Amino acid sequence: MPPSARTRGRGPGLHHDRRRAEIADAVLAVVAEHGLPGVSLTEVAAQAGVSPGRVQHYFPAKRQLIEAAFDRGNRRSEERIRSRLGADPEDAPPREVLAVVLDELIPHDAPSRAHMRVRHAFNAGALADDAVAERVRGLYAELRTRLADCLLRAGVLRDGGEPEALAVTLVAQAEGLAYHVLLGTVPVCTARRTVRAALDAALPD
């Protein structure tokens, strides 16, 4: 095992990674409550229960805070999906993966509500920040590819890029409904039922 792997497995390396994760979680909490403009050393430090100097020690620049939170939020979302599936998405039935991934885009509990508030905050920030936009585009490209692969494995035949286009449509519908759920204009149960019906209609019998 390389020395770096041993270091990360215990001792100072592990403590370093945990502290960075805790601070990134604090950033996510701030973004969920106040959006990206609310992220500051003092606000994040207060949320994390540490000094601003401690935050700056792990993340010298605000940009690093934002990037760490973006990655951390996506990892937490993947962990929730894996937990619901009870398996790695690559090993689970494609129809089940599609259903769970799309359902996670609807804020139906506290973790998914916080995640979607953060997701919408990053999407809004991407309109004015090229660096954020690049990360958001990468996220959507990866999501589209993974869902298109699931659609293919579920029996949706490739025809002029149909699985890719269908993946875009399903995600757009789910996230559009998620926005209205967050605003309180559409009930959660209606949004979840609508997304599931669209998925069922797209899949072969």
Side-chain angles (χ1 to χ4, degrees):
M1 179 184 297
S4 60
R6 290 198 300 270
T7 301
R8 291 302 182 202
R10 63 180 186 276
L14 180 59
H15 175 78
H16 179 86
D17 289 346
R18 285 178 175 172
R19 180 60 73 183
R20 284 178 60 88
E22 290 168 359
I23 293 173
D25 284 341
V27 178
L28 291 174
V30 172
V31 174
E33 185 68 23
H34 305 293
L36 284 178
V39 176
S40 67
L41 282 178
T42 54
E43 194 70 32
V44 172
Q47 181 69 40
V50 299
S51 69
R54 178 60 61 180
V55 174
Q56 197 165 32
H57 170 75
Y58 288 99
F59 300 99
K62 180 179 177 179
R63 169 65 58 194
Q64 293 172 309
L65 274 175
I66 298 298
E67 292 174 350
F70 185 88
D71 294 338
R72 175 71 171 165
N74 292 328
R75 281 195 299 271
R76 288 172 59 179
S77 177
E78 290 175 358
E79 288 168 1
R80 286 194 300 274
I81 290 171
R82 190 176 292 106
S83 177
R84 289 184 61 179
L85 289 171
D88 188 279
E90 297 297 325
D91 301 323
R95 287 172 179 255
E96 188 175 347
V97 174
L98 288 162
V100 170
V101 169
L102 291 172
D103 191 59
E104 275 294 311
L105 294 177
I106 302 297
H108 57 272
D109 58 13
S112 61
R113 178 173 290 273
H115 177 65
M116 290 310 299
R117 286 178 65 89
V118 169
R119 193 180 182 105
H120 281 289
F122 273 103
N123 286 350
L127 299 178
D129 188 317
D130 288 340
V132 174
E134 184 176 355
R135 281 181 170 264
V136 170
R137 285 193 293 267
L139 174 67
Y140 278 113
E142 180 181 357
L143 177 61
R144 181 175 64 246
T145 298
R146 292 172 68 177
L147 291 186
D149 178 66
C150 283
L151 288 166
L152 280 170
R153 290 191 290 119
V156 175
L157 299 178
R158 185 184 297 276
D159 181 15
E162 179 184 346
E164 288 81 358
L166 181 54
V168 171
T169 299
L170 291 170
V171 170
Q173 182 180 43
E175 288 201 323
L177 286 167
Y179 182 74
H180 286 280
V181 171
L182 291 173
L183 287 176
T185 57
V186 173
V188 175
C189 58
T190 299
R192 298 178 83 179
R193 186 168 58 246
T194 301
V195 170
R196 185 54 190 257
L199 177 60
D200 288 342
L203 295 175
D205 295 331

